[in-house]
Amino acid sequence: GIRDIGVTGVQTCALPIFSASDSDEHVAKERTRLWVKRLLVERGICPFTRSDRMSGQGLADLGVPAGSIAYHASFRTHPIGLLADTWEAIDRMVEAGPEGRKGVSSILLAAPAFDDDFDLWAGPVFAMLEAGVVAAGAEAKIGVVCFHPRYATPDGKSWPGFGQMHSVPRLEKWYRSSESLSSDSLTTEQIAAGGAWQRRTPHATINVLRADQLEAAESRRISGNLYAENIDKLVGADGVGSEKLALDLEQERQLGVQPKRRDPLKSSKTELRLL
């Protein structure tokens, strides 16, 4: 269910998907890790993430070392608690440094309690995250990107978008003009889907990256070509396809979910009725 939390224009889920026990935290982290492996690594959606444990590869000559991916989970149901957990994870990343045995390149923090409210996630939550980075004067150190299981590519008119995902008109322009693709036959709706699948994770997820890594990555790639190629990999004629992508994501979301136990008494009564 959804409840008002007393902040103007902000609502959140009343209950998390599961309690914050150690086993649940492990499950949430594992779901995210499997998503990284499936989409970013095996599908090659992020050229600088080549394993599900490390990121920032291929940027060493630009002075950016590869570091580990720190997986976190927050079971807070209020945005203030979520922000507190996020900043604690950021503090750990800063303390660890970017390299060495304990170095952290990026953070992926899953927040299951926000899975069912994309409007809240894309609006107030992300706005507060960005405002917090600015207020802390941390723009030179970190950048924030957000993901969500119900991510929708912004239409460019009613909603400008968030989390470094471009609007449908811009993605379509890049896709149609890309010289690296053999065909531009995708519809506008398919291009929008290709954009969305790049941001759909098992749980609402906050990705914190080091600013120097973001800057180096942007200088190395041509964003238009990258997004066009990713769309083709995901929903193009020879791509994965939305149906398979949806199935894979749902399998990750179901990891660790115990099947409902059959009630023998209830089953017996049903069988008696049938007789």
Side-chain angles (χ1 to χ4, degrees):
I2 303 296
R3 65 179 176 87
D4 195 332
I5 61 172
V7 180
T8 303
V10 179
Q11 292 182 322
T12 189
C13 300
L15 295 172
I17 288 177
F18 35 57
S19 61
S21 69
D22 290 341
S23 60
D24 293 332
E25 183 176 0
H26 171 75
V27 167
K29 291 178 180 179
E30 185 67 4
R31 289 171 178 171
T32 306
R33 186 192 67 79
L34 290 174
W35 173 82
V36 170
K37 181 180 179 182
R38 170 179 63 87
L39 200 75
L40 303 190
V41 178
E42 294 178 353
R43 301 296 180 186
I45 296 303
C46 178
F48 310 113
T49 302
R50 299 174 188 170
S51 84
D52 55 12
R53 300 294 182 184
M54 304 284 289
S55 68
Q57 296 98 329
L59 301 172
D61 61 319
L62 297 178
V64 179
S68 66
I69 300 172
Y71 292 96
H72 293 268
S74 172
F75 295 89
R76 307 292 194 105
T77 60
H78 192 295
I80 292 175
L82 172 65
L83 293 178
D85 287 349
T86 302
W87 280 103
E88 181 181 355
I90 291 171
D91 185 55
R92 291 186 198 175
M93 180 174 79
V94 172
E95 286 292 321
E99 57 186 322
R101 289 183 62 187
K102 297 183 179 180
V104 175
S105 175
S106 66
I107 294 166
L108 282 168
L109 185 147
F114 295 84
D115 286 358
D116 293 330
D117 197 338
F118 178 62
D119 290 339
L120 171 64
W121 192 251
V125 170
F126 189 71
M128 285 187 283
L129 279 170
E130 284 197 315
V133 172
V134 174
E139 298 151 290
K141 291 186 176 293
I142 59 171
V144 181
V145 182
C146 281
F147 301 81
H148 197 274
R150 298 186 180 184
Y151 188 95
T153 308
D155 59 20
K157 297 176 182 178
S158 61
W159 179 49
F162 82 122
Q164 293 195 340
M165 174 50 71
H166 300 281
S167 66
V168 174
R170 180 171 293 182
L171 291 177
E172 185 166 21
K173 178 182 178 181
W174 283 340
Y175 187 82
R176 305 290 183 211
S177 61
S178 177
E179 297 179 356
S180 62
L181 305 179
S182 59
S183 172
D184 64 352
S185 60
L186 292 184
T187 65
T188 300
E189 289 73 21
Q190 287 173 314
I191 290 172
W197 282 117
Q198 295 177 58
R199 289 291 182 267
R200 287 182 181 169
T201 44
H203 295 299
T205 299
I206 296 169
N207 182 204
V208 183
L209 297 159
R210 294 183 177 275
D212 58 349
Q213 181 176 321
L214 270 173
E215 185 178 348
E218 285 300 319
S219 70
R220 174 131 296 176
R221 69 190 183 193
I222 301 174
S223 291
N225 286 346
L226 177 66
Y227 281 108
E229 290 170 3
N230 283 348
I231 289 169
D232 210 47
K233 288 177 184 177
L234 295 175
V235 298
D238 297 321
V240 184
S242 287
E243 186 175 341
K244 179 68 165 63
L245 288 165
L247 178 62
D248 290 342
L249 184 65
E250 185 58 26
Q251 287 179 338
E252 288 157 358
R253 284 176 57 80
Q254 293 300 315
L255 176 71
V257 174
Q258 296 297 323
K260 291 183 179 180
R261 297 183 66 181
R262 186 180 180 188
D263 186 337
L265 182 60
K266 187 176 181 181
S267 299
S268 298
K269 289 180 179 178
T270 301
E271 289 167 2
L272 285 171
R273 287 194 205 103
L274 291 174
L275 290 172

